[in-house]
Amino acid sequence: MSDAPLPGPLCSTMQEVRAGVDALDRELVALLARRFAYMDAAARIKAERGHVRDEARKAAVIANARTAAEALGLPAAVIADLWEQLVEASIAYELSAFDRR
């Protein structure tokens, strides 16, 4: 028997739902670690601390997430809000990484 969680539509118990959510949360954290590794790279590559915050890029990243959410039938405003928080956290992380170099 496989330890992989059932896809959401196949779940029939809360135990199955929770196992799936927990597994997905672990995957999301791993993906965030990969994303933050790019922030480390950006902090290493950018010549000036002032280049860390790029409002045009921030807006584009959030718009891309909103568009992807809409395409998947997800609540676009909620996803955009999450991405706002993610991008701000990424900027803070990158600033900290820049300051450590």
Side-chain angles (χ1 to χ4, degrees), residues 14-15 21 29 36 44 58 68:
M14 283 309 300
Q15 183 178 3
V21 168
V29 171
F36 276 68
R44 176 177 39 83
K58 175 184 169 182

Side-chain angles (χ1 to χ4, degrees), residues 20-98:
V21 168
D22 291 347
L24 187 55
D25 284 349
R26 287 188 296 274
E27 290 179 48
L28 287 169
V29 171
L31 287 171
L32 288 169
R34 287 176 52 196
R35 190 183 199 286
F36 276 68
Y38 286 108
M39 300 305 97
D40 285 325
R44 176 177 39 83
I45 293 167
K46 290 179 181 174
E48 297 178 26
R49 190 178 196 274
H51 294 165
V52 171
R53 179 171 289 281
D54 180 342
E55 291 298 329
R57 173 66 179 153
K58 175 184 169 182
V61 168
I62 294 168
N64 289 341
R66 178 184 287 275
T67 299
E70 289 169 349
L72 293 171
L74 298 173
V78 171
I79 299 299
D81 287 345
L82 285 171
W83 251 252
E84 169 76 28
Q85 292 178 28
L86 175 60
V87 172
E88 282 300 321
S90 297
I91 290 168
Y93 180 89
E94 187 180 335
L95 285 168
S96 178
F98 188 94

